[in-house]
Amino acid sequence: MSKSLTPEKINDALNKVYDKVKKKKTGKVASYIPELAKVDPKIYGIVIVTCCGKVYKIGDFKKTVAIESIAKVFTLCMALQHHNKDHIIDKIGTQTSFLPFNSVLALRLSDNHTINPFVNAGAIATASLVKGKTKKSVWKNIHDNMNNFAGKKLKVSEKTYKSEMKTNEHNVALAYLLKSYGKFYNDVEDTVDVYTRQGSVMVNALDLATMASCLANDGVNPRTNKRVFKKKYIPFVLSTMLGGGVYEYSGRWMNEVGIPAKSGVGGGLIGVVPGKFGIAVVSPPLDKHGNSSKGVATFRELSRRLDLNMFHEKAECQMKNKNRKCI
Ligand code: GLN
C-alpha cells in the first residue's frame, strides 16, 4: 500500500474518479422495498475521512439515502460490546456465501444456518444478540451506537421503515427458520422490527465515511475524538467485512479493490483503509448482487489510483533488521 499519500494525490484521484464514473449508466435502484424505488438515481457523492479527521469530498455528499445493510456492521459492533468475539463466532459465524444476501437456500445449506453477520439471516440473528429489556431499549442501544460512529444523531425514515415492514415476509421467514434451528436469540417479531428500523436510518456520504473512519482509526471517531468501539475487535469486524461485505462479489472485490467494505441496497458503500481513512460512496443504482454499481466502480478506480489494495504490497523484503540483514 502506498506510504506517500498527499492531499494533492487524494484530491486529484477524487476528481478523476468522480468524472470518469459519473458517466457510467448501469444498475437499477432497489424496488423490492417500495420506498427505495423513489430515490433519485442521479445522486453520486464520494467522501474520504482520514484518521486525523480531515474530510475530502466531491459530488452529492449531503444527499441522504437509507443505510440498509451497512447498518449490519455497526450492529455487529454493538453485539461485540455485549458479547465476546468467540460468542459471535459460535452464534453467528464467519462463513462466506455464494448466494444472494437474503437466500433461504444458503441458510438451509450452511452448517451454522446464520452464515455471517452481513447476510440478512446472520444480521437479523446478530440484532437478536443485542441486549435490552424491551424492544425500545434494544433499538436505543443500536441507534445510539450508530450515532456515536457518525458523530451526530441520525434520523430514521419512517416512510422507509413502514414500507419495508409492510413487505417484510421474507425476512420474517428467515428469522423463524433460524429459530427452528435454535439459531435465534430473542423474540422474532420484535427483532425483525428493530432490524428493519436500523436499515431505515438516513445517511449521507459524509456520515458513512465518518462511520467507516472510526474503524480505520482503532475505534476512535476522528471527528469527535470519542472512543466508539474497542480496538481489540476491529480486526474481527474488518476481516468479516472482507469476507462478505459485498456478498457474492467479495472474492472479486478482494482482487480488484482489496480493502474491507460493506454495501447497502440504499446505494451506500463504505470501505476502511486501516490506519489511513474511511471512504464512502453514495449512488443508488445497484448491480445484480445488490451493491451500488457506481460505488463498486469508484472503489475499483480509487484503489488503483491511490494504491490501496492490501494484497498489493511491494515485493521489497520486509524481513530485514536494522542492519538490513534478512531475519
Ligand atoms: N433491509 C434490507 C433487507 O433486509 C437490507 C438489504 C441490503 O442492504 N442488502 O433486505
Side-chain angles (χ1 to χ4, degrees), residues 2 9 39 62 82 109 111 127 132 134 174 181 205 234 245 264 267 288:
S2 169
K9 268 193 194 170
V39 73
K62 279 189 187 160
H82 288 167
L109 290 176
D111 284 344
T134 58
L174 289 173
Y181 287 117
I234 288 186
K288 63 176 179 190

Side-chain angles (χ1 to χ4, degrees), residues 32-33 67-70 72 101-102 118 120 124 164 168 171 195-196 199 247 262-266 290:
Y32 76 101
I33 300 169
I67 190 167
E68 296 300 339
S69 282
I70 301 173
K72 293 168 179 172
F101 61 80
N102 57 1
F118 299 146
N120 286 11
I124 304 170
E164 186 162 350
N168 225 1
N171 282 339
Y195 164 85
T196 307
Y247 311 115
K262 184 73 204 83
S263 63
V265 291

Side-chain angles (χ1 to χ4, degrees), residues 69 72-73 76 88-103 106-107 110-127 129 178 183 195 236-237 239-248 250 261-262:
S69 282
K72 293 168 179 172
V73 173
L76 170 64
I88 302 290
I89 292 174
D90 177 39
K91 300 289 176 196
I92 308 294
T94 54
Q95 264 194 324
T96 53
S97 172
F98 63 94
L99 289 165
F101 61 80
N102 57 1
S103 168
L107 185 163
S110 126
D111 284 344
N112 69 0
H113 307 296
T114 35
I115 308 169
N116 68 51
F118 299 146
V119 294
N120 286 11
I124 304 170
T126 303
L129 283 173
L178 285 178
K183 297 284 297 190
Y195 164 85
F236 176 69
V237 174
S239 59
T240 310
M241 287 167 80
L242 201 55
V246 286
Y247 311 115
E248 318 92 281
S250 299
K262 184 73 204 83

Side-chain angles (χ1 to χ4, degrees), residues 71-86 88 117-118 126 130 141-142 144-151 210-222 224-241 260 270 272:
K72 293 168 179 172
V73 173
F74 305 99
T75 300
L76 170 64
C77 293
M78 188 69 247
L80 281 163
Q81 326 248 26
H82 288 167
H83 307 272
N84 63 31
K85 185 180 86 176
D86 292 340
I88 302 290
F118 299 146
T126 303
V130 174
N141 282 334
I142 289 177
D144 286 351
N145 180 57
M146 279 203 260
N147 293 340
N148 286 334
F149 272 88
T210 305
M211 294 169 96
S213 72
C214 304
L215 295 171
N217 192 37
D218 286 346
V220 173
N221 183 325
T224 61
N225 289 321
K226 189 172 165 181
R227 172 159 296 284
V228 297
F229 189 52
K230 286 181 187 155
K231 179 180 172 181
K232 69 173 177 179
Y233 290 139
I234 288 186
F236 176 69
V237 174
L238 296 184
S239 59
T240 310
M241 287 167 80
I270 62 168
V272 178

